[in-house]
Amino acid sequence: MNMKKLGAILFGCIMAGAVLVGCGGQQGNQAGTHDTQIKIGTLTHLNASEERINEVMKKIDEETDVNLAHDYAYYDKLTSMLMGLESGSVKEVSLYNSVAQYMMGRNDKLAIVEHRGMNLEDSFCCAVRTEDKQLKADLDKAIGEMKADGTLDKFVKTYITDLKNGEEPPAVTMPTNNGKKLKIAVTGDLPPLDLVLADGTPAGFNTAVLAEMGKRLNMDVEIVQIDSAARASALASKKVDVVFWVAVPKGDSKVPADIDKPQNMEMTTPYYQDKIVHVGLKK
């Protein structure tokens, strides 16, 4: 794999958490490409510092012609990041395509911005403490069964692709009265993936996935709503048992892999992939 391709793929993965900065080229409603430095909004990362992320982006730029070293503004919540876009504090925001489609269905001022470069995507998974080897094995088994019997494909259609403009993802009923409790962290602020409705009802794709996992493991599921950047510390401190993460590929580049993965954490088999896009205001 050449350095340009490896650098672009790695970049798309190291910036993951809830939202990632990417140069991925979804074609949208704004014409042209953007290669000059602009201010881009992204969610705060989970473990790596902003300085470390910027250092890696600069290193990739030095070794490739991917051109990633933009001026980034970091936000703790999706809602505040979108407010930054509308106010002009940032010119674009980095979103997963499913989130972008959800937001554009509710705000006709938004459009996907075309960028020259590769299409980037991330693989969603769950993360557990390294010591919880049996839990990881059980989650991997549940994910494998859900892939094999079509449950994951059904969830993608129900909670993501078949949603109509302005429609909220269906509410999700958490399994109860099974015995052992499984505490899972969600942001509730990244629809239609992570979503907690205004009345506190869990909804969205990730929530449906974790509820199904709980059923298959014969465990009660308790949702713990938490900011995206706090998930690593919540897992390490045993406030929760599981957090949503993304799979970061291993590579032989000088650019380090797993930059945003804390120590003492293991990731399950991925259960979903989504592209990374940039969204801006229509001109």
Side-chain angles (χ1 to χ4, degrees):
M1 182 181 293
N2 62 45
M3 273 299 301
K4 177 177 179 180
K5 184 174 181 180
L6 179 59
I9 293 174
L10 175 63
F11 175 76
C13 295
I14 64 176
M15 301 298 280
V19 177
L20 302 99
V21 173
C23 56
Q26 275 282 348
Q27 193 168 11
N29 296 327
Q30 296 189 30
T33 59
H34 297 265
D35 294 318
T36 59
Q37 191 176 79
I38 58 175
K39 198 169 189 69
I40 297 174
T42 182
L43 287 187
T44 303
H45 308 298
L46 303 177
N47 185 58
S49 67
E50 294 176 11
E51 292 77 13
R52 181 60 173 146
I53 294 294
N54 290 334
E55 176 186 324
V56 170
M57 289 189 292
K58 182 178 179 181
K59 183 176 180 62
I60 293 174
D61 271 6
E62 291 173 351
E63 297 187 1
T64 74
D65 59 353
V66 177
N67 188 31
L68 302 176
H70 291 290
D71 182 15
Y72 295 99
Y74 295 89
Y75 294 87
D76 289 331
K77 291 187 177 294
L78 174 65
T79 49
S80 58
M81 186 169 73
L82 292 173
M83 288 175 63
L85 177 64
E86 295 213 16
S87 70
S89 298
V90 294
K91 293 298 183 183
E92 299 173 12
V93 295
S94 179
L95 296 171
Y96 288 115
N97 185 57
S98 59
V99 180
Q101 298 299 330
Y102 176 95
M103 292 301 171
M104 290 188 298
R106 288 153 179 75
N107 187 341
D108 60 9
K109 297 179 182 179
L110 302 177
I112 292 178
V113 181
E114 180 185 358
H115 278 266
R116 186 168 59 196
M118 296 180 60
N119 288 325
L120 303 178
E121 62 180 21
D122 279 317
S123 297
F124 288 69
C125 61
C126 296
V128 302
R129 291 178 291 274
T130 302
E131 65 195 64
D132 293 333
K133 298 183 185 302
Q134 187 59 54
L135 176 58
K136 179 184 179 302
D138 291 342
L139 292 172
D140 282 339
K141 180 181 178 183
I143 291 170
E145 292 173 350
M146 292 162 67
K147 288 180 178 179
D149 64 21
T151 299
L152 282 173
D153 289 339
K154 178 182 177 181
F155 284 169
V156 170
K157 288 176 61 66
T158 300
Y159 294 93
I160 299 177
T161 58
D162 286 0
L163 284 183
K164 299 177 181 178
N165 285 350
E167 183 180 14
E168 294 291 353
V172 177
T173 301
M174 295 290 105
T176 58
N177 301 319
N178 291 319
K180 187 176 180 180
K181 183 176 291 186
L182 189 66
K183 294 184 178 181
I184 304 182
V186 301
T187 66
D189 187 45
L190 197 65
L193 302 174
D194 280 9
L195 179 61
V196 176
L197 301 177
D199 63 0
T201 302
F205 175 71
N206 281 340
T207 312
V209 170
L210 69 89
E212 182 66 21
M213 288 179 180
K215 292 176 184 177
R216 295 183 185 230
L217 272 58
N218 196 32
M219 299 177 73
D220 295 346
V221 173
E222 178 182 340
I223 287 181
V224 180
Q225 195 168 353
I226 194 168
D227 287 346
S228 177
R231 284 182 287 172
S233 60
L235 186 65
S237 66
K238 299 188 177 181
K239 183 177 180 179
V240 299
D241 304 305
V242 178
V243 298
F244 291 113
W245 214 267
V246 294
V248 180
K250 304 293 184 182
D252 56 2
S253 168
K254 295 179 181 179
V255 179
D258 287 346
I259 186 175
D260 206 31
K261 176 181 174 292
Q263 293 181 343
N264 302 318
M265 175 184 287
E266 297 296 330
M267 293 176 288
T268 65
T269 301
Y271 60 84
Y272 179 62
Q273 291 182 320
D274 202 357
K275 293 180 179 179
I276 302 164
V277 300
H278 282 191
V279 171
L281 296 177
K282 291 179 181 178
K283 295 181 180 179

